[in-house]
Amino acid sequence: MVYKLVWENLKHRPVRTLLSSLAIGLGVTMMLTLVGVGEGMLREQEARTRGVGADIIIRPSGSSVIGIAPPNINEKLVAWVLEQPHVAQSTGIVIYPLGGVSTVHGVDFEEVTKMSGGFTFLSGRPFKDAQEAIIDEYFAKEKKLKAGSTVKILNRDWIVSGVFRGGKLTRMMLPKKILQDVSATTGKVSVIYVKLDDPSKSAEVITHLKKTLPDYPIYSMDELASQFSVNSVPELKTFIGVVISLSVLFGFLVVFLAMYTAILERTREIGILKALGAGQGYVLGILLRETILLAVIGSAFGIGMSYVTQWMIATFIPASMTQAIVYEWWPIASGITLGGALLGVFYPAIKASRQDALESLSYD
Amino acid sequence: MTEPIIGIRDLRKTFRSGDVDVHALRGVDLAVERGEFLAVVGPSGSGKSTLFHILGGLTPPTAGTVMIDGQDLMKMSDSDRTRLRMKSVGFVFQKYNLLPTLTVGDNIKIARDIARVKGPLDKQFLEVLDALGITDKMDRKPRQLSGGEQQRVAIARSIVNHPAILLADEPTGNLDTENSTAVLGLLRDLNKRLGQTILMITHNPDAAAFADRIVHMRDGQLHAA
Ligand SMILES: Nc1ncnc2c1ncn2[C@@H]1O[C@H](COP(=O)(O)OP(=O)(O)OP(=O)(O)O)[C@@H](O)[C@H]1O
Ligand SMILES: [Mg+2]
């Protein structure tokens, strides 16, 4: 019966109900989108790294697997690694940051092709030893490029020689030698990818490599998943914390305002209920249920809207971002929002439950 | 002799509004027998509503003795008075005071829900609904009903939990003569058929004539007619 009253009250003010739950849902969407983008991009990056086909990755000393690796490794190391036991192939790659999270990689196309099992070109051809670039289809879509277009990198024009199917290493690759020359990093690389003759020997090989290269972070592919996690991106963790706080604040303010005005509008209704013998608990229960219902509707909206943001990201900026749908965050985000909402209803509910029945039943 | 259902001795109620004390009730004495239909008449501001609010547990008395159905109102806490409204007293107001967002049926059901009464409506109450002529209006919202119909719904709601006393504060104040006569007839019918104890405030001598007994309120005191 109480639910009926609560539901009728929500229906009675449809615009208020719609706007409040949308606003509540916005917090949920913010959380789901942020966590989803973080998760999506990490998974995507992990998949691309795996796509190289290496068994071991050597990074410059002082770098983490996720941050951008500065070109600090002497290229001579690539040849040295190749001479170590069980190493079948090694290739050095230069990573040049383009600002934000995007980078361009300078690669030896032959070596990367061999290690990864080959690229599939959707159009065009591999770059030659010239100012040429290859890009994946997401990058092509987002930047509206195709084979034959020109891209500006390091103040130079590069001709797009081909578009490859994504999922390997990165979205844009240039000839390594030329990138090294124009970025003044000749003889240096950012990472070394290592392929073994027997992948089960990774641990053994890593132990061996670390003897000579104690300062270099060296990862096996098995370690990648744990490296590509939200926990290894402190900025993302901080940002998620900020968005959670904002969502709580949001839920609090929206519900406070919505319920505060609601009880002012309903003094008469509350008076009637009290005259009928409703105690403080009964009135409190009505407002709490209404808040919970608003939060539930809002969360459903918020989850729905996270699919919209996913679609928008996939449609308009597929190369810059990827958003995963993070189901395990649905209850978390909804719970956080409900928490904010319950904080928001606290004061209005107490005020309403203490309201004097006669105040509103006076015969004006 | 049976104990009166309402026994009031030297009841006083003083309101403090700002720095002045308003003595709304100045020593009211009244005994109402079980099954009586009593009309309270008197000029505006004489304290009639205040008396009802105390009897209904909506506001505490300042001094005196008030017994309702064997319970001592002076000794009641806030939650005791909530229980009194839930179980022992039914209210009908001049303004019908129905919940606007609920249907007629749900307005009646919520009174049962508040009193934690479960199960189907009893036969006696269904007969009352029939007599009130609102059986076919259960799915309507209050604003789709006339004033007279709304007041009949309010009466039905007030007695659904079989209260010991029904307090009606100017129940016909907003109604035209025809609807007033109908509502008053229904109240008298409830009183005669079910033995429902009713106290009714009215300004209208014709309305008061429906009651078994009339008392006059003047300056916070009651006088027999
Ligand atoms: N909450 C209150 N605070 C202060 N004074 C009050 C309050 N309620 C009633 N009074 C005063 O108590 C007196 C009695 O009021 P009451 O409402 O009982 O009169 P009444 O007989 O019902 O009048 P009416 O016929 O106009 O309804 C009035 O002087 C009124 O102003
Ligand atoms: Mg009055």
Side-chain angles (χ1 to χ4, degrees), chain A residues 258-279:
Chain A
M259 297 311 281
Y260 191 79
T261 50
I263 66 154
L264 291 184
E265 184 187 72
R266 294 189 208 145
T267 47
R268 186 173 200 87
E269 175 179 294
I270 293 161
I272 296 169
L273 291 170
K274 292 209 153 181
L276 290 174

PDB file of all heavy atoms in Angstrom, chain A residues 258-279:
ATOM      1  N   ALA A 258      14.855  17.659  -4.264  1.00  0.00           N
ATOM      2  CA  ALA A 258      13.601  17.059  -4.730  1.00  0.00           C
ATOM      3  C   ALA A 258      12.705  16.700  -3.552  1.00  0.00           C
ATOM      4  O   ALA A 258      11.508  16.990  -3.551  1.00  0.00           O
ATOM      5  CB  ALA A 258      13.894  15.821  -5.571  1.00  0.00           C
ATOM      6  N   MET A 259      13.277  16.087  -2.525  1.00  0.00           N
ATOM      7  CA  MET A 259      12.461  15.635  -1.405  1.00  0.00           C
ATOM      8  C   MET A 259      12.081  16.796  -0.501  1.00  0.00           C
ATOM      9  O   MET A 259      11.007  16.796   0.090  1.00  0.00           O
ATOM     10  CB  MET A 259      13.197  14.556  -0.599  1.00  0.00           C
ATOM     11  CG  MET A 259      13.476  13.297  -1.391  1.00  0.00           C
ATOM     12  SD  MET A 259      12.034  12.652  -2.261  1.00  0.00           S
ATOM     13  CE  MET A 259      11.190  11.849  -0.930  1.00  0.00           C
ATOM     14  N   TYR A 260      12.979  17.781  -0.420  1.00  0.00           N
ATOM     15  CA  TYR A 260      12.654  18.925   0.427  1.00  0.00           C
ATOM     16  C   TYR A 260      11.440  19.664  -0.136  1.00  0.00           C
ATOM     17  O   TYR A 260      10.495  19.967   0.586  1.00  0.00           O
ATOM     18  CB  TYR A 260      13.857  19.868   0.530  1.00  0.00           C
ATOM     19  CG  TYR A 260      13.684  20.918   1.593  1.00  0.00           C
ATOM     20  CD1 TYR A 260      13.890  20.604   2.931  1.00  0.00           C
ATOM     21  CD2 TYR A 260      13.301  22.216   1.266  1.00  0.00           C
ATOM     22  CE1 TYR A 260      13.706  21.552   3.919  1.00  0.00           C
ATOM     23  CE2 TYR A 260      13.125  23.176   2.251  1.00  0.00           C
ATOM     24  CZ  TYR A 260      13.327  22.829   3.576  1.00  0.00           C
ATOM     25  OH  TYR A 260      13.140  23.770   4.545  1.00  0.00           O
ATOM     26  N   THR A 261      11.462  19.910  -1.435  1.00  0.00           N
ATOM     27  CA  THR A 261      10.308  20.579  -2.033  1.00  0.00           C
ATOM     28  C   THR A 261       9.086  19.670  -1.984  1.00  0.00           C
ATOM     29  O   THR A 261       7.962  20.140  -1.801  1.00  0.00           O
ATOM     30  CB  THR A 261      10.576  20.981  -3.493  1.00  0.00           C
ATOM     31  OG1 THR A 261      11.081  19.844  -4.189  1.00  0.00           O
ATOM     32  CG2 THR A 261      11.571  22.105  -3.594  1.00  0.00           C
ATOM     33  N   ALA A 262       9.305  18.364  -2.106  1.00  0.00           N
ATOM     34  CA  ALA A 262       8.171  17.434  -2.064  1.00  0.00           C
ATOM     35  C   ALA A 262       7.456  17.509  -0.721  1.00  0.00           C
ATOM     36  O   ALA A 262       6.227  17.549  -0.668  1.00  0.00           O
ATOM     37  CB  ALA A 262       8.640  16.012  -2.339  1.00  0.00           C
ATOM     38  N   ILE A 263       8.209  17.539   0.364  1.00  0.00           N
ATOM     39  CA  ILE A 263       7.514  17.534   1.660  1.00  0.00           C
ATOM     40  C   ILE A 263       6.845  18.882   1.929  1.00  0.00           C
ATOM     41  O   ILE A 263       5.824  18.937   2.598  1.00  0.00           O
ATOM     42  CB  ILE A 263       8.436  17.125   2.832  1.00  0.00           C
ATOM     43  CG1 ILE A 263       9.519  18.154   3.065  1.00  0.00           C
ATOM     44  CG2 ILE A 263       9.004  15.734   2.646  1.00  0.00           C
ATOM     45  CD1 ILE A 263      10.000  18.131   4.494  1.00  0.00           C
ATOM     46  N   LEU A 264       7.425  19.947   1.363  1.00  0.00           N
ATOM     47  CA  LEU A 264       6.741  21.244   1.522  1.00  0.00           C
ATOM     48  C   LEU A 264       5.404  21.197   0.793  1.00  0.00           C
ATOM     49  O   LEU A 264       4.396  21.715   1.270  1.00  0.00           O
ATOM     50  CB  LEU A 264       7.606  22.375   0.957  1.00  0.00           C
ATOM     51  CG  LEU A 264       8.874  22.687   1.747  1.00  0.00           C
ATOM     52  CD1 LEU A 264       9.591  23.882   1.144  1.00  0.00           C
ATOM     53  CD2 LEU A 264       8.544  22.952   3.206  1.00  0.00           C
ATOM     54  N   GLU A 265       5.427  20.542  -0.377  1.00  0.00           N
ATOM     55  CA  GLU A 265       4.213  20.438  -1.168  1.00  0.00           C
ATOM     56  C   GLU A 265       3.205  19.504  -0.497  1.00  0.00           C
ATOM     57  O   GLU A 265       2.006  19.589  -0.747  1.00  0.00           O
ATOM     58  CB  GLU A 265       4.591  19.906  -2.552  1.00  0.00           C
ATOM     59  CG  GLU A 265       3.450  19.824  -3.527  1.00  0.00           C
ATOM     60  CD  GLU A 265       3.887  19.135  -4.817  1.00  0.00           C
ATOM     61  OE1 GLU A 265       4.091  17.908  -4.804  1.00  0.00           O
ATOM     62  OE2 GLU A 265       4.022  19.827  -5.810  1.00  0.00           O
ATOM     63  N   ARG A 266       3.722  18.603   0.327  1.00  0.00           N
ATOM     64  CA  ARG A 266       2.853  17.555   0.863  1.00  0.00           C
ATOM     65  C   ARG A 266       2.555  17.693   2.348  1.00  0.00           C
ATOM     66  O   ARG A 266       2.233  16.702   3.004  1.00  0.00           O
ATOM     67  CB  ARG A 266       3.512  16.188   0.638  1.00  0.00           C
ATOM     68  CG  ARG A 266       3.619  15.835  -0.821  1.00  0.00           C
ATOM     69  CD  ARG A 266       4.058  14.406  -0.968  1.00  0.00           C
ATOM     70  NE  ARG A 266       4.767  14.219  -2.207  1.00  0.00           N
ATOM     71  CZ  ARG A 266       5.783  13.388  -2.354  1.00  0.00           C
ATOM     72  NH1 ARG A 266       6.205  12.674  -1.339  1.00  0.00           N
ATOM     73  NH2 ARG A 266       6.372  13.258  -3.526  1.00  0.00           N
ATOM     74  N   THR A 267       2.682  18.897   2.888  1.00  0.00           N
ATOM     75  CA  THR A 267       2.398  19.021   4.320  1.00  0.00           C
ATOM     76  C   THR A 267       0.995  18.510   4.622  1.00  0.00           C
ATOM     77  O   THR A 267       0.768  17.849   5.626  1.00  0.00           O
ATOM     78  CB  THR A 267       2.496  20.481   4.794  1.00  0.00           C
ATOM     79  OG1 THR A 267       1.787  21.293   3.878  1.00  0.00           O
ATOM     80  CG2 THR A 267       3.924  20.938   4.886  1.00  0.00           C
ATOM     81  N   ARG A 268       0.064  18.797   3.727  1.00  0.00           N
ATOM     82  CA  ARG A 268      -1.307  18.380   3.957  1.00  0.00           C
ATOM     83  C   ARG A 268      -1.413  16.843   3.963  1.00  0.00           C
ATOM     84  O   ARG A 268      -2.019  16.257   4.857  1.00  0.00           O
ATOM     85  CB  ARG A 268      -2.208  18.960   2.857  1.00  0.00           C
ATOM     86  CG  ARG A 268      -3.654  18.698   3.112  1.00  0.00           C
ATOM     87  CD  ARG A 268      -4.543  19.411   2.105  1.00  0.00           C
ATOM     88  NE  ARG A 268      -5.870  19.527   2.660  1.00  0.00           N
ATOM     89  CZ  ARG A 268      -6.268  20.515   3.424  1.00  0.00           C
ATOM     90  NH1 ARG A 268      -5.441  21.487   3.737  1.00  0.00           N
ATOM     91  NH2 ARG A 268      -7.482  20.523   3.901  1.00  0.00           N
ATOM     92  N   GLU A 269      -0.786  16.249   2.967  1.00  0.00           N
ATOM     93  CA  GLU A 269      -0.803  14.787   2.889  1.00  0.00           C
ATOM     94  C   GLU A 269      -0.211  14.162   4.154  1.00  0.00           C
ATOM     95  O   GLU A 269      -0.757  13.199   4.701  1.00  0.00           O
ATOM     96  CB  GLU A 269       0.019  14.351   1.666  1.00  0.00           C
ATOM     97  CG  GLU A 269       0.187  12.871   1.530  1.00  0.00           C
ATOM     98  CD  GLU A 269       0.983  12.540   0.277  1.00  0.00           C
ATOM     99  OE1 GLU A 269       0.473  12.791  -0.834  1.00  0.00           O
ATOM    100  OE2 GLU A 269       2.104  12.047   0.418  1.00  0.00           O
ATOM    101  N   ILE A 270       0.906  14.741   4.605  1.00  0.00           N
ATOM    102  CA  ILE A 270       1.543  14.209   5.812  1.00  0.00           C
ATOM    103  C   ILE A 270       0.616  14.392   7.011  1.00  0.00           C
ATOM    104  O   ILE A 270       0.466  13.491   7.844  1.00  0.00           O
ATOM    105  CB  ILE A 270       2.904  14.901   6.039  1.00  0.00           C
ATOM    106  CG1 ILE A 270       3.867  14.497   4.917  1.00  0.00           C
ATOM    107  CG2 ILE A 270       3.490  14.527   7.392  1.00  0.00           C
ATOM    108  CD1 ILE A 270       5.050  15.433   4.753  1.00  0.00           C
ATOM    109  N   GLY A 271      -0.050  15.556   7.078  1.00  0.00           N
ATOM    110  CA  GLY A 271      -1.011  15.799   8.146  1.00  0.00           C
ATOM    111  C   GLY A 271      -2.144  14.780   8.129  1.00  0.00           C
ATOM    112  O   GLY A 271      -2.548  14.266   9.175  1.00  0.00           O
ATOM    113  N   ILE A 272      -2.651  14.482   6.947  1.00  0.00           N
ATOM    114  CA  ILE A 272      -3.732  13.491   6.829  1.00  0.00           C
ATOM    115  C   ILE A 272      -3.263  12.136   7.347  1.00  0.00           C
ATOM    116  O   ILE A 272      -3.942  11.487   8.147  1.00  0.00           O
ATOM    117  CB  ILE A 272      -4.194  13.354   5.358  1.00  0.00           C
ATOM    118  CG1 ILE A 272      -4.803  14.672   4.860  1.00  0.00           C
ATOM    119  CG2 ILE A 272      -5.197  12.212   5.213  1.00  0.00           C
ATOM    120  CD1 ILE A 272      -5.051  14.710   3.357  1.00  0.00           C
ATOM    121  N   LEU A 273      -2.075  11.732   6.890  1.00  0.00           N
ATOM    122  CA  LEU A 273      -1.553  10.430   7.336  1.00  0.00           C
ATOM    123  C   LEU A 273      -1.425  10.398   8.850  1.00  0.00           C
ATOM    124  O   LEU A 273      -1.756   9.407   9.496  1.00  0.00           O
ATOM    125  CB  LEU A 273      -0.197  10.164   6.674  1.00  0.00           C
ATOM    126  CG  LEU A 273      -0.248   9.909   5.166  1.00  0.00           C
ATOM    127  CD1 LEU A 273       1.156   9.907   4.570  1.00  0.00           C
ATOM    128  CD2 LEU A 273      -0.938   8.577   4.869  1.00  0.00           C
ATOM    129  N   LYS A 274      -0.950  11.513   9.412  1.00  0.00           N
ATOM    130  CA  LYS A 274      -0.782  11.539  10.870  1.00  0.00           C
ATOM    131  C   LYS A 274      -2.125  11.483  11.580  1.00  0.00           C
ATOM    132  O   LYS A 274      -2.266  10.823  12.605  1.00  0.00           O
ATOM    133  CB  LYS A 274      -0.004  12.778  11.276  1.00  0.00           C
ATOM    134  CG  LYS A 274       1.431  12.701  10.797  1.00  0.00           C
ATOM    135  CD  LYS A 274       2.357  13.458  11.696  1.00  0.00           C
ATOM    136  CE  LYS A 274       3.736  12.850  11.599  1.00  0.00           C
ATOM    137  NZ  LYS A 274       4.684  13.537  12.469  1.00  0.00           N
ATOM    138  N   ALA A 275      -3.132  12.181  11.028  1.00  0.00           N
ATOM    139  CA  ALA A 275      -4.462  12.142  11.632  1.00  0.00           C
ATOM    140  C   ALA A 275      -5.025  10.722  11.580  1.00  0.00           C
ATOM    141  O   ALA A 275      -5.802  10.318  12.434  1.00  0.00           O
ATOM    142  CB  ALA A 275      -5.396  13.113  10.913  1.00  0.00           C
ATOM    143  N   LEU A 276      -4.608   9.978  10.560  1.00  0.00           N
ATOM    144  CA  LEU A 276      -5.073   8.589  10.444  1.00  0.00           C
ATOM    145  C   LEU A 276      -4.292   7.652  11.369  1.00  0.00           C
ATOM    146  O   LEU A 276      -4.562   6.457  11.408  1.00  0.00           O
ATOM    147  CB  LEU A 276      -4.935   8.094   9.000  1.00  0.00           C
ATOM    148  CG  LEU A 276      -5.877   8.706   7.972  1.00  0.00           C
ATOM    149  CD1 LEU A 276      -5.521   8.234   6.572  1.00  0.00           C
ATOM    150  CD2 LEU A 276      -7.317   8.351   8.295  1.00  0.00           C
ATOM    151  N   GLY A 277      -3.313   8.196  12.074  1.00  0.00           N
ATOM    152  CA  GLY A 277      -2.576   7.378  13.020  1.00  0.00           C
ATOM    153  C   GLY A 277      -1.206   6.947  12.544  1.00  0.00           C
ATOM    154  O   GLY A 277      -0.587   6.071  13.143  1.00  0.00           O
ATOM    155  N   ALA A 278      -0.717   7.559  11.458  1.00  0.00           N
ATOM    156  CA  ALA A 278       0.631   7.226  10.998  1.00  0.00           C
ATOM    157  C   ALA A 278       1.647   7.841  11.946  1.00  0.00           C
ATOM    158  O   ALA A 278       1.558   9.013  12.288  1.00  0.00           O
ATOM    159  CB  ALA A 278       0.852   7.761   9.585  1.00  0.00           C
ATOM    160  N   GLY A 279       2.593   7.031  12.388  1.00  0.00           N
ATOM    161  CA  GLY A 279       3.640   7.529  13.269  1.00  0.00           C
ATOM    162  C   GLY A 279       4.812   8.052  12.466  1.00  0.00           C
ATOM    163  O   GLY A 279       4.775   8.066  11.234  1.00  0.00           O
TER     164      GLY A 279
END
